[in-house]
Amino acid sequence: MSEHLGLRTVGDLLHHYPRRYAERGELTRLAELPLDEHVTVVARIADARVHKFNRGKGQRLEVTLTDGSGRLQIVFFGRSVHYHQRELLPGRRGMFAGKVGVFNRKLQLSHPDYKLLDEESGADTVEQFAAELLPLYPACKQLSSWSIEQSVATVLNALQATGWRGLADPLPIALREERALIPLPEAFEKIHRPRTKADIAQARARLKWDEAFVLQVALARRRAKETELPAAPRLPVPGGLLDAFDERLPFTLTDGQREVSREIFADLATEHPMHRLLQGEVGSGKTLVALRAMLATVDAGGQAAMLAPTEVLAQQHHRSITEMMGELAGHHSDAKRLERRAVVGDGRALGGAEQGTKVVLLTGSMSTAQRRQALLDLVTGEAGIVVGTHALIEDKVKFHDLGLVVVDEQHRFGVEQRDALRSKGAQPPHLLVMTATPIPRTVAMTVFGDLETSVLDQLPAGRSPISTHVVPAKDKPHFLARTWERVREEAEAGHQAYVVCPRIGDEEEQPAKSAKRPSSRAPEEAGGAGGGSGEDEGGGADAEEKRPPLAVLDIAQQLTAGPLGGLRVEPLHGRMHPDAKDEVMRRFAAGEVDVLVATTVIEVGVNVPNATGMVIMDADRFGVSQLHQLRGRVGRGSAPGLCLLVTEMPEASPARARLEAVAATLDGFELSRIDLEQRREGDVLGQAQSGVRSSLRMLAVIEDEDIIAEARDEAGALVAADPDLTEHPELRTALEALLDEEREEYLDKG
């Protein structure tokens, strides 16, 4: 059991809940049997015969039933034939339940459940059998639902015999009584052996509270533990680098940016590490808010590091930060820096208002000389700000005084990577996690339950609306032709466009007949451990694969030779040399390229206000949130944006429904709910990254919003009153079961 379903203990088995419950169906007369429905019939056995087939190697038992209104055949195959033949004797009466099928133009039940009746059995027995709820468990080839049901029954019977001794109930009695939740033993009994649907509802309500509460206690303890760690307060210096930067801004901050900055500065001023999640819509100005936090840290004598998932994004951030800072992104000579450090006396020389601070880039593809200089600038404190990829995490990278870590697109990083960077501070640095994938409130409370959350939901002035349309290329080929006409029109009006494809096109071809979906992101673009953002979700279930996903190199060639002939079309993907990628992006940003045919390498952070059009090929191969991310690359200037989602999926397919949802709204939070509802939430304690089953077996973070919010409040109050859970030993036992060594490590790393 442990090997295939992760069931190692009695507790695992008790928490292996039925996926659903089968009902035998209403009592039905044989003359009125509905095809393809589950029924229960009461009938007498007319005859029973064993037939040989396959040259005598196979055998089947055919039994004819009658109830006076009609006749029905039931069949059994395999080794159980003779057992059933001994039971099902002509003249006996019984109840038979199964799904009505048809064979040789006759209705039949194959391998039905049955219960033989005594002649005196009354109507009550029959009704009870028909109404019984049959639990169906998540099973595997090696372990059937029926076997699991028998194992669970054995465990329940043994626990009942001992009076449920040793079962730890994690919910405090007062909390359970206040919410009218049933005791834990009763919940296990009713979830595994329900008599009615009301039993199932009661059990689910109780078990959902267990999961929500124990998880929120774990997160509340994590938050409490964080407040005990020491950190250096990083206060902005009046008249310092931040003030100089704000004076140079050519626009006014939005109210949202001001409010979020206030929250961040308040955290930076404390003597324990900030742990804040900054989430915001695409283009809401998160980078600007993060940069102001980094400048405040530099003002206070510390250094700030920004970790980006890809080289393209790291280069983009480095470019946009140096552009925003202008002359403030300069640096002092060593002599000048040492002179100022001597005056200040405490290492605050990093960010003087008169000169600024050095902003360095550190990526894996830099030359040895460039890397050596960047590393030197970090260890001496010459560089106040560093932007980099995973290269920042390497052992040889040393900081003078790391005060703030900003992690961009956090879902692309494994916990170990974030932790490795944070460990480079003399004491724990402050942490700001950014994501442009909007996260519903309840998900933030579970997945990021140890972080305080700030939301930027206000777009800066001057951003234009984006209209989105689905292009059904197979049903209406003329729509695809019109798509390329629209791209040409945008280019002729002086604008630019992106064409996004799921594949690069220089990898080895996969067999077209394979039903397994090819990966829609090249390995080097996957952004490191922690996975991508769901672009492999969904589409492949709707149709057998007829071809590999469309590729950048093929489409770029076809467009240049065909509908976009005469326009400046360039490819961009993750296997290009970093210098070549940067050069293409620079030329696109400068308006020297009309159409950029790219992979999802442009998904986050790429900012070209003149780009107004986006065509996403094989759009059904991308996840909802990712489509929203990609769409956010257009409409960043004064001209309206246009996003066309090209798909060959049929109209009634789930993939088309998903694309229509993206086309219908620009609200990223609404789309993230849709995305989550379709693919569930994975393991909120991070184990989805290593393929271990989710710790949430009953709770659904979207549906159970109220329970999670209430559990968070209750958990916070309980941990504040009893941090070590000395008065709640059973809760502590439940926590230990939830937080095995690996998960405990995950929470400790934050």
Side-chain angles (χ1 to χ4, degrees):
M1 278 202 270
S2 65
E3 193 179 328
H4 301 288
L5 292 170
L7 305 178
R8 295 177 181 82
T9 66
V10 165
D12 289 339
L13 197 57
L14 286 175
H15 289 97
H16 189 72
Y17 305 128
R19 186 177 65 249
R20 60 188 178 88
Y21 300 86
E23 296 178 69
R24 289 199 168 102
E26 293 181 19
L27 287 173
T28 312
R29 293 190 338 134
L30 295 186
E32 299 161 357
L33 290 175
L35 191 63
D36 281 336
E37 285 190 22
H38 289 276
V39 299
T40 298
V41 299
V42 177
R44 198 172 292 279
I45 298 164
D47 61 56
R49 295 192 186 93
V50 173
H51 297 272
K52 304 275 187 184
F53 62 93
N54 195 15
R55 297 180 182 173
K57 292 177 186 172
Q59 51 188 356
R60 71 177 178 273
L61 172 65
E62 291 181 0
V63 179
T64 305
L65 305 178
T66 177
D67 68 350
S69 73
R71 295 168 80 81
L72 173 68
Q73 193 174 67
I74 62 174
V75 293
F76 297 90
F77 297 91
R79 296 176 187 169
S80 61
V81 159
H82 295 295
Y83 167 78
H84 294 303
Q85 186 183 24
R86 286 194 297 275
E87 292 272 303
L88 302 173
L89 300 173
R92 300 257 351 229
R93 183 166 157 266
M95 299 175 287
F96 303 86
K99 189 176 180 181
V100 181
V102 66
F103 181 71
N104 280 345
R105 299 184 187 176
K106 289 182 183 174
L107 295 180
Q108 72 168 26
L109 302 182
S110 179
H111 282 267
D113 283 337
Y114 64 86
K115 184 174 183 179
L116 296 174
L117 298 169
D118 299 325
E119 287 306 318
E120 61 269 18
S121 293
D124 288 351
T125 309
V126 174
E127 290 286 348
Q128 188 179 342
F129 176 84
E132 191 177 344
L133 294 163
L134 307 170
L136 297 176
Y137 290 87
C140 61
K141 184 179 173 184
Q142 294 80 3
L143 196 64
S144 68
S145 173
W146 168 246
S147 305
I148 295 169
E149 184 186 355
Q150 286 180 313
S151 302
V152 171
T154 303
V155 167
L156 289 174
N157 292 340
L159 285 170
Q160 280 176 339
T162 65
W164 296 88
R165 194 170 64 245
L167 182 70
D169 188 333
L171 290 192
I173 293 172
L175 189 154
R176 198 174 75 219
E177 289 176 349
E178 186 185 332
R179 286 175 170 73
L181 297 170
I182 60 177
L184 191 55
E186 191 181 333
F188 282 136
E189 183 67 35
K190 286 183 170 178
I191 200 75
H192 292 293
R193 299 197 282 214
R195 291 185 173 82
T196 64
K197 289 183 179 175
D199 281 356
I200 299 169
Q202 279 188 318
R204 287 175 66 84
R206 164 63 213 251
L207 295 167
K208 282 183 176 190
W209 249 98
D210 278 19
E211 286 183 6
F213 183 68
V214 173
L215 175 61
Q216 292 301 334
V217 167
L219 293 168
R221 292 183 82 198
R222 171 82 181 100
R223 289 193 299 274
K225 211 164 150 186
E226 281 298 325
T227 62
E228 295 168 11
L229 288 175
R234 307 288 180 174
L235 294 160
V237 176
L241 188 51
L242 177 61
D243 284 352
F245 174 76
D246 285 349
E247 283 169 19
R248 285 166 170 77
L249 278 179
F251 51 82
T252 308
L253 296 175
T254 65
D255 292 343
Q257 287 172 325
R258 288 183 186 284
E259 179 53 36
V260 169
S261 288
R262 271 197 294 273
E263 292 171 349
I264 291 171
F265 290 151
D267 284 356
L268 288 174
T270 62
E271 294 187 350
H272 57 81
M274 169 173 75
H275 262 126
R276 188 165 286 277
L277 171 69
L278 172 57
Q279 57 167 323
E281 282 287 12
V282 177
S284 57
K286 292 182 300 300
T287 308
L288 175 62
V289 169
L291 176 55
R292 294 184 75 239
M294 291 194 283
L295 294 175
T297 304
V298 173
D299 265 348
Q303 290 167 291
M306 178 182 267
L307 185 60
T310 64
E311 291 215 357
V312 167
L313 190 51
Q315 288 160 344
Q316 174 85 24
H317 275 317
H318 182 255
R319 191 162 44 236
S320 61
I321 284 172
T322 50
E323 282 170 7
M324 280 194 277
M325 287 177 66
E327 65 193 41
L328 297 175
H331 60 284
H332 308 290
S333 68
D334 276 0
K336 182 74 174 169
R337 181 173 50 77
L338 291 170
E339 178 190 322
R340 289 183 65 245
R341 180 167 297 165
V343 172
V344 178
D346 62 356
R348 289 196 186 179
L350 290 165
E354 78 273 17
Q355 293 269 8
T357 190
K358 192 170 183 179
V359 180
V360 300
L361 176 69
L362 188 64
T363 65
S365 66
M366 290 166 65
S367 70
T368 307
Q370 289 171 321
R371 278 178 70 81
R372 190 179 292 123
Q373 184 58 53
L375 292 172
L376 184 65
D377 289 341
L378 288 177
V379 76
T380 59
E382 180 79 13
I385 294 175
V386 58
V387 181
T389 55
H390 304 86
L392 277 177
I393 296 166
E394 292 173 9
D395 289 343
K396 63 182 73 166
V397 180
K398 301 279 188 279
F399 289 84
H400 175 72
D401 180 13
L402 181 60
L404 171 66
V405 173
V406 178
V407 179
D408 191 25
E409 289 308 316
Q410 102 80 34
H411 62 277
R412 303 285 195 89
F413 290 99
V415 180
E416 294 78 11
Q417 294 161 307
R418 297 206 307 269
D419 186 54
L421 185 53
R422 285 175 61 201
S423 69
K424 291 184 178 292
Q427 52 188 341
H430 298 281
L431 175 69
L432 180 65
V433 169
M434 298 199 301
T435 179
T437 305
I439 302 163
R441 173 171 158 263
T442 42
V443 184
M445 283 193 296
T446 47
V447 181
F448 301 106
D450 60 331
L451 299 175
E452 298 301 326
T453 304
S454 294
V455 178
L456 275 176
D457 51 10
Q458 191 182 0
L459 292 186
R463 290 299 300 266
S464 302
I466 306 168
S467 56
T468 308
H469 305 279
V470 177
V471 178
K474 207 166 190 175
D475 306 348
K476 300 176 180 174
H478 59 288
F479 277 33
L480 185 58
R482 176 67 188 131
T483 295
W484 304 126
E485 286 172 17
R486 283 292 289 112
V487 171
R488 185 176 281 282
E489 287 164 15
E490 290 297 313
E492 287 170 355
H495 297 302
Q496 295 158 277
Y498 300 97
V499 176
V500 180
C501 303
R503 199 166 58 98
I504 295 173
D506 60 356
E507 53 278 285
E508 287 182 26
E509 291 295 330
Q510 297 193 16
K513 66 182 179 181
S514 168
K516 181 174 168 57
R517 303 190 63 206
S519 171
S520 61
R521 173 181 280 164
E524 76 286 3
E525 287 167 22
S533 46
E535 66 274 26
D536 278 349
E537 289 297 329
D542 297 321
E544 190 76 11
E545 291 295 353
K546 297 293 188 292
R547 57 162 174 78
L550 294 172
V552 166
L553 300 177
D554 300 338
I555 295 294
Q557 198 174 4
Q558 289 166 24
L559 293 177
T560 306
L564 300 186
L567 294 182
R568 297 167 297 178
V569 178
E570 294 254 3
L572 177 74
H573 59 77
R575 279 210 282 273
M576 291 166 65
H577 188 276
D579 289 346
K581 275 191 289 192
D582 210 33
E583 175 61 15
V584 171
M585 274 311 308
R586 188 198 60 71
R587 289 176 45 235
F588 185 68
E592 296 165 17
V593 174
D594 298 313
V595 179
L596 194 64
V597 184
T599 54
T600 51
V601 73
I602 58 123
E603 178 188 352
V604 284
V606 175
N607 183 27
V608 180
N610 191 48
T612 54
M614 174 168 285
V615 180
I616 303 179
M617 307 302 292
D618 280 345
D620 48 274
R621 303 201 184 232
F622 299 94
V624 169
S625 293
Q626 193 178 31
L627 290 169
H628 183 58
Q629 287 282 306
L630 288 165
R631 171 172 62 183
R633 299 305 108 211
V634 297
R636 301 177 78 86
S638 54
L642 172 69
C643 179
L644 301 173
L645 307 173
V646 179
T647 180
E648 293 186 356
M649 285 296 167
E651 194 169 359
S653 65
R656 270 287 282 279
R658 207 169 66 242
L659 297 182
E660 298 291 353
V662 174
T665 180
L666 288 171
D667 183 340
F669 286 92
E670 176 57 30
L671 287 173
S672 70
R673 287 181 75 95
I674 294 167
D675 198 17
L676 206 66
E677 281 165 1
Q678 289 180 342
R679 61 190 176 92
R680 292 284 293 178
E681 47 274 346
D683 189 336
V684 298
L685 291 186
Q687 294 309 296
Q689 292 183 2
S690 55
V692 180
R693 201 173 42 141
S694 172
S695 61
L696 295 190
R697 283 118 187 216
M698 188 65 74
L699 198 69
V701 293
I702 289 292
E703 294 164 28
D704 301 318
E705 192 166 335
D706 294 345
I707 294 175
I708 292 167
E710 287 179 40
R712 183 180 168 97
D713 292 343
E714 292 280 2
L718 184 141
V719 170
D722 182 14
D724 297 324
L725 306 182
T726 47
E727 293 173 29
H728 300 88
E730 293 188 319
L731 175 56
R732 202 165 60 236
T733 303
L735 264 184
E736 285 161 6
L738 174 75
L739 300 177
D740 56 32
E741 197 174 324
E742 197 175 351
R743 287 197 176 109
E744 184 76 74
E745 198 177 325
Y746 176 89
L747 282 181
D748 278 346
K749 288 178 178 177

